[in-house]
Amino acid sequence: MSRTKIVAGNWKMHKNLEESLALTTEIRGLVRDEVKAKVEVILCPPAISLASMHRLLEGTSIHTGAQNCHWEDQGAFTGELAPGMVKSTGATHVIIGHSERRQYFGETDDMLANKVKSAIRHGLKVLFCVGESLQQREDKTFYKVIEKQIREGLFGLDRKEFSSVVVAYEPVWAIGTGLTASPEDAQEIHHFIRRLIADFYNPEIAENTSILYGGSVKPDNAKQLFAMGDIDGGLIGGAALKARDFIEICKAAGA
Ligand code: PGA
């Protein structure tokens, strides 16, 4: 299988500059060849830390990514970050469509589609998040919800653009709650997402797209999740803030 295994740490609004550099140094010191050879590791800190972390990671295989960006190249958008600015820090990735952005900052599928296109145009790879709420899981509308998020967020891309996309399935009810989708339930959704991609683009593109799972991934459940055929790694929140836990999860992805 030619898909890249990926583990990305989403630090959310944690760690100031000094703390970010300390955690990065710790993670850098713990990444061994077994992880380097098999897993793409990406650290997504608060944006203020991106440039300094990139310098600290120079010469290693660890990448950096932002947690969000705007779709415009520049302009009067106080407080926002343009994709070219993210790129100028040395970052290679950007998370787009995280459920916290959708929920607390009113980001719509339309806005997200613009962000994705713009980020890719600036040479960034996109970690695009989708996932259903507890209500949507219970009333069994989750397939529809996920399909809409994927279609509207991503399917405006041409094939070449789509090759810069990594999908992250993150059920909202599993984020930061300690609840995790069972490996079988997660696999079912990952398979569904891959089929959507195969039907819209083609089976080869679907086969080559990495689809990550996110939502309370910890060292003790990572192995079972990553063992599933369509789960190609994880987007990690809480456990990414502890270097040893994060590395254990990286190892599980490479196992
Ligand atoms: P969690 O967060 O691992 O703390 O559940 C995952 C995420 O929101 O990306």
Side-chain angles (χ1 to χ4, degrees), residues 10 12 98 100 170 174-176 215-217 235-238:
N10 173 12
K12 308 193 179 186
H98 191 279
E100 286 150 20
E170 298 204 307
I175 295 177
S216 298
V217 179
L235 181 55
I236 319 300

mmCIF file of all heavy atoms in Angstrom, residues 10 12 98 100 170 174-176 215-217 235-238, ligand 1:
data_model
loop_
_atom_site.group_PDB
_atom_site.id
_atom_site.type_symbol
_atom_site.label_atom_id
_atom_site.label_comp_id
_atom_site.label_asym_id
_atom_site.label_seq_id
_atom_site.Cartn_x
_atom_site.Cartn_y
_atom_site.Cartn_z
ATOM 1 N N ASN A 10 -2.354 18.214 17.174
ATOM 2 C CA ASN A 10 -3.082 19.479 17.167
ATOM 3 C C ASN A 10 -3.012 20.037 18.587
ATOM 4 O O ASN A 10 -3.722 19.563 19.473
ATOM 5 C CB ASN A 10 -4.539 19.221 16.737
ATOM 6 C CG ASN A 10 -5.396 20.462 16.865
ATOM 7 O OD1 ASN A 10 -4.884 21.563 17.062
ATOM 8 N ND2 ASN A 10 -6.707 20.288 16.763
ATOM 9 N N LYS A 12 -3.930 22.850 19.635
ATOM 10 C CA LYS A 12 -5.035 23.783 19.936
ATOM 11 C C LYS A 12 -4.467 25.046 20.598
ATOM 12 O O LYS A 12 -3.359 25.451 20.274
ATOM 13 C CB LYS A 12 -6.092 23.087 20.789
ATOM 14 C CG LYS A 12 -6.536 21.768 20.155
ATOM 15 C CD LYS A 12 -7.765 21.179 20.757
ATOM 16 C CE LYS A 12 -8.101 19.883 20.024
ATOM 17 N NZ LYS A 12 -9.352 19.275 20.431
ATOM 18 N N HIS A 98 -11.584 22.049 11.325
ATOM 19 C CA HIS A 98 -11.712 21.384 12.625
ATOM 20 C C HIS A 98 -13.083 21.714 13.217
ATOM 21 O O HIS A 98 -13.573 22.826 13.064
ATOM 22 C CB HIS A 98 -10.590 21.836 13.571
ATOM 23 C CG HIS A 98 -10.529 20.995 14.804
ATOM 24 N ND1 HIS A 98 -11.367 21.208 15.874
ATOM 25 C CD2 HIS A 98 -9.778 19.911 15.116
ATOM 26 C CE1 HIS A 98 -11.120 20.296 16.800
ATOM 27 N NE2 HIS A 98 -10.162 19.499 16.369
ATOM 28 N N GLU A 100 -14.007 22.479 16.065
ATOM 29 C CA GLU A 100 -14.039 23.657 16.953
ATOM 30 C C GLU A 100 -14.118 24.944 16.138
ATOM 31 O O GLU A 100 -14.723 25.922 16.569
ATOM 32 C CB GLU A 100 -12.815 23.637 17.879
ATOM 33 C CG GLU A 100 -12.966 22.586 18.966
ATOM 34 C CD GLU A 100 -11.662 21.971 19.459
ATOM 35 O OE1 GLU A 100 -10.588 22.577 19.256
ATOM 36 O OE2 GLU A 100 -11.721 20.869 20.052
ATOM 37 N N GLU A 170 -13.059 12.984 12.505
ATOM 38 C CA GLU A 170 -13.071 13.240 13.942
ATOM 39 C C GLU A 170 -14.508 13.374 14.439
ATOM 40 O O GLU A 170 -15.088 14.459 14.349
ATOM 41 C CB GLU A 170 -12.333 14.550 14.246
ATOM 42 C CG GLU A 170 -10.877 14.546 13.865
ATOM 43 C CD GLU A 170 -10.097 15.567 14.688
ATOM 44 O OE1 GLU A 170 -10.482 16.738 14.727
ATOM 45 O OE2 GLU A 170 -9.122 15.163 15.316
ATOM 46 N N ALA A 174 -16.261 12.449 20.252
ATOM 47 C CA ALA A 174 -15.061 11.753 20.745
ATOM 48 C C ALA A 174 -13.907 12.712 21.027
ATOM 49 O O ALA A 174 -12.882 12.312 21.553
ATOM 50 C CB ALA A 174 -14.620 10.709 19.720
ATOM 51 N N ILE A 175 -14.081 13.998 20.673
ATOM 52 C CA ILE A 175 -12.971 14.950 20.819
ATOM 53 C C ILE A 175 -12.883 15.454 22.256
ATOM 54 O O ILE A 175 -13.823 16.063 22.766
ATOM 55 C CB ILE A 175 -13.128 16.130 19.841
ATOM 56 C CG1 ILE A 175 -13.024 15.633 18.398
ATOM 57 C CG2 ILE A 175 -12.086 17.194 20.122
ATOM 58 C CD1 ILE A 175 -13.232 16.709 17.354
ATOM 59 N N GLY A 176 -11.750 15.148 22.887
ATOM 60 C CA GLY A 176 -11.493 15.656 24.236
ATOM 61 C C GLY A 176 -12.396 15.062 25.303
ATOM 62 O O GLY A 176 -12.421 15.527 26.436
ATOM 63 N N GLY A 215 -9.865 11.928 17.822
ATOM 64 C CA GLY A 215 -10.880 11.905 18.873
ATOM 65 C C GLY A 215 -10.432 10.976 19.978
ATOM 66 O O GLY A 215 -10.617 9.764 19.896
ATOM 67 N N SER A 216 -9.773 11.567 21.004
ATOM 68 C CA SER A 216 -9.316 10.806 22.174
ATOM 69 C C SER A 216 -8.409 9.627 21.814
ATOM 70 O O SER A 216 -8.501 8.561 22.435
ATOM 71 C CB SER A 216 -10.504 10.341 23.021
ATOM 72 O OG SER A 216 -11.224 11.451 23.518
ATOM 73 N N VAL A 217 -7.551 9.811 20.820
ATOM 74 C CA VAL A 217 -6.527 8.785 20.557
ATOM 75 C C VAL A 217 -5.470 8.879 21.652
ATOM 76 O O VAL A 217 -5.004 9.967 21.986
ATOM 77 C CB VAL A 217 -5.857 8.974 19.170
ATOM 78 C CG1 VAL A 217 -4.779 7.913 18.951
ATOM 79 C CG2 VAL A 217 -6.889 8.924 18.056
ATOM 80 N N LEU A 235 -5.012 12.261 14.086
ATOM 81 C CA LEU A 235 -4.898 13.675 14.459
ATOM 82 C C LEU A 235 -5.131 13.713 15.964
ATOM 83 O O LEU A 235 -6.202 13.343 16.447
ATOM 84 C CB LEU A 235 -5.940 14.513 13.701
ATOM 85 C CG LEU A 235 -5.931 16.028 13.960
ATOM 86 C CD1 LEU A 235 -4.553 16.640 13.702
ATOM 87 C CD2 LEU A 235 -6.966 16.735 13.079
ATOM 88 N N ILE A 236 -4.097 14.147 16.678
ATOM 89 C CA ILE A 236 -4.068 13.935 18.122
ATOM 90 C C ILE A 236 -4.159 15.267 18.863
ATOM 91 O O ILE A 236 -3.338 16.158 18.616
ATOM 92 C CB ILE A 236 -2.736 13.237 18.533
ATOM 93 C CG1 ILE A 236 -2.339 12.127 17.535
ATOM 94 C CG2 ILE A 236 -2.802 12.725 19.968
ATOM 95 C CD1 ILE A 236 -3.334 11.008 17.395
ATOM 96 N N GLY A 237 -5.099 15.384 19.781
ATOM 97 C CA GLY A 237 -5.223 16.605 20.574
ATOM 98 C C GLY A 237 -4.510 16.454 21.903
ATOM 99 O O GLY A 237 -3.287 16.604 21.997
ATOM 100 N N GLY A 238 -5.251 16.124 22.946
ATOM 101 C CA GLY A 238 -4.713 16.067 24.308
ATOM 102 C C GLY A 238 -3.406 15.300 24.442
ATOM 103 O O GLY A 238 -2.451 15.784 25.067
HETATM 104 P P1 PGA B 1 -8.401 14.916 21.311
HETATM 105 O O1 PGA B 1 -8.535 16.013 20.129
HETATM 106 O O2 PGA B 1 -7.329 13.951 20.894
HETATM 107 O O3 PGA B 1 -8.025 15.710 22.533
HETATM 108 O O4 PGA B 1 -9.729 14.255 21.448
HETATM 109 C C1 PGA B 1 -8.448 15.653 18.778
HETATM 110 C C2 PGA B 1 -8.659 16.858 17.911
HETATM 111 O O5 PGA B 1 -9.524 17.688 18.235
HETATM 112 O O6 PGA B 1 -7.989 17.034 16.872
#
